[in-house]
Amino acid sequence: DYKIKVWNYKTRRCQFTLTGHLDYVRTVYFHHEYPWILSCSDDQTIRIWNWQSRNCIAILTGHNHYVNSAQFHPKEDLIVSASLDQTVRVWDFSGLRKKNAAPGTVAYDESAHRASQQADIFGSTDAIVKYVLEGHDRSVNWATFHPTLPLIISAGDDRQVKLWRMNETKAWEVDTCRGHTNNVSSTLFHQRQELIISVAEDKCVRVWDMSKRTAVQTFRREHDRFWALAAHPELNLFAAGHDNGLIVFKLERERPAYAVHQSNLFYIKDKYLRVYDYANSQDTAVLSVRRTGSQFIQPRALSYNPAERAVLITSTVDGGTYELYNLPKDYSGEAREPASDGKRGTGNSAIFIARNRFAVLEKANQTITIRDLQNNSTKSFKTPSV
């Protein structure tokens, strides 16, 4: 209905309505600090509204087709927008901030606003296009900033997710994530890990490694196309909206793989095997276990062998793998890189059963294999369905 409505979500009442757009409104966002709302529309404009005065304080023109999304930068005076004109645009609105916010406050200045309205008639300089990013060859549906790095991610009807980098003077395309088989609706950066998440009309949520630009996980819903994606500001939670509702999910296990022996707790955190000594409250990084999977696939289980000072670490990488490490004799100083002969194999679960034997369960062929510490198989038998 071309309107923006501001609601009190506790009383569920509409507080007021902002009118001015001449076509469908696509996205609306509050600014994290100023009393502003950002909207974009099929009327080819992006508008900034002051929700205290309830006035439109800027109209950003430049896109020459529907504007599908527009968002504020989390810290800087920048906006990123995506349009059916196949471009992503970055806008600088520092002039508007200086005009509308007194130093040190976020107060609304009526006289400055009147001046800005006059300036608008002659072509306003409050918000200017800083960069035009060209690379998609179909409509761009979504674009968003990285929470801390000078990066932008965009998604389009060309089934691609594109990563862009910017500095003070220019912006350029870094790489493309390919794999979706239909229009990509939305995308975002993981807040704490080097991951990109995207959703599409191919009924998939995809998770990408930001540095390699390769897919690390795909979640599929048979009957529903995905349209929207959001991250919780503090918690490790994401939501993906589809035709019939939404899914809330998280990408990392919060509980680490761990094992306890006497007064020592062995656990894995941030790619290190650490040991916490209850007796003296010391917490030491012992061994680097970076190879047990991507950033995002945390090890699931850990088994400790006190007789041989060895650990077995199981993760879901490649459908299930285990790795056998020998711990260094002393825990002082830097965490060691593991010996190059880190023994590994496939299996869904692995556990020590004797001083020099461990058992590995392979779910696919329903077998348990007994192995020695050289990782040689000594015995194997079928299990009942487990």
Side-chain angles (χ1 to χ4, degrees), residues 60-61 77-79 89-96 124-131:
L60 283 59
T61 57
D77 292 335
L78 296 174
I79 290 165
R89 286 172 190 247
V90 178
W91 312 74
D92 181 334
F93 63 85
S94 48
L96 185 71
S124 165
T125 55
D126 295 343
I128 55 169
V129 175
K130 196 171 164 80
Y131 312 118

Side-chain angles (χ1 to χ4, degrees), residues 126-356:
D126 295 343
I128 55 169
V129 175
K130 196 171 164 80
Y131 312 118
V132 179
L133 307 180
E134 296 177 306
H136 285 283
D137 49 21
R138 298 283 294 277
S139 166
V140 191
N141 296 323
W142 201 264
T144 189
F145 290 110
H146 190 280
T148 53
L149 301 171
L151 298 172
I152 292 167
I153 195 84
S154 62
D157 284 358
D158 55 7
R159 306 176 179 186
Q160 294 176 359
V161 176
K162 286 188 182 287
L163 182 67
W164 314 80
R165 182 175 278 276
M166 59 182 179
N167 60 22
E168 278 310 301
T169 54
K170 64 181 192 290
W172 63 97
E173 184 178 332
V174 177
D175 208 348
T176 301
C177 302
R178 293 182 174 84
H180 279 294
T181 57
N182 207 330
N183 305 339
V184 191
S185 315
S186 183
T187 184
L188 53 76
F189 291 101
H190 192 289
Q191 302 216 338
R192 290 189 301 284
Q193 298 196 32
E194 293 199 352
L195 295 174
I196 294 160
I197 308 169
S198 60
V199 295
E201 291 181 55
D202 63 4
K203 308 174 183 174
C204 287
V205 178
R206 283 179 185 262
V207 182
W208 313 82
D209 182 313
M210 198 167 94
S211 49
K212 298 194 189 88
R213 269 78 76 179
T214 53
V216 290
Q217 195 95 346
T218 302
F219 305 98
R220 186 175 166 82
R221 255 188 111 65
E222 282 313 309
H223 306 297
D224 294 337
R225 297 162 298 179
F226 282 102
W227 301 103
L229 191 57
H232 192 286
E234 282 105 30
L235 302 176
N236 168 33
L237 293 173
F238 299 88
H242 52 82
D243 286 334
N244 286 301
L246 62 91
I247 300 171
V248 179
F249 60 97
K250 63 182 178 183
L251 284 179
E252 51 193 339
R253 285 164 61 87
E254 276 115 357
R255 176 179 297 178
Y258 73 95
V260 179
H261 175 68
Q262 292 170 350
S263 68
N264 288 334
L265 167 70
F266 297 88
Y267 68 101
I268 292 172
K269 183 183 178 190
D270 299 334
K271 300 295 171 210
Y272 289 99
L273 173 69
R274 305 181 69 92
V275 60
Y276 178 81
D277 188 336
Y278 290 111
N280 57 19
S281 299
Q282 274 191 319
D283 189 357
T284 319
V286 176
L287 195 71
S288 164
V289 289
R290 281 194 177 80
R291 298 180 310 161
T292 56
S294 74
Q295 186 94 3
F296 147 60
I297 303 176
Q298 303 285 9
R300 292 195 74 82
L302 188 155
S303 179
Y304 177 61
N305 178 345
E308 298 290 335
R309 293 174 58 75
V311 289
L312 272 170
I313 296 168
T314 323
S315 76
T316 55
V317 179
D318 303 330
T321 54
Y322 67 87
E323 300 204 64
L324 174 63
Y325 294 108
N326 288 88
L327 298 188
K329 289 283 178 281
D330 57 340
Y331 296 156
S332 55
E334 285 290 297
R336 310 269 183 93
E337 287 296 321
S340 57
D341 63 341
K343 302 171 184 72
R344 60 186 309 173
T346 58
N348 304 85
S349 180
I351 189 166
F352 285 109
I353 54 167
R355 186 185 66 75
N356 59 354

Side-chain angles (χ1 to χ4, degrees), residues 33-36 50 52 100-108:
E33 186 183 351
Y34 314 137
W36 292 356
N50 184 307
Q52 290 173 340
N100 284 282
T105 69
V106 190
Y108 177 70

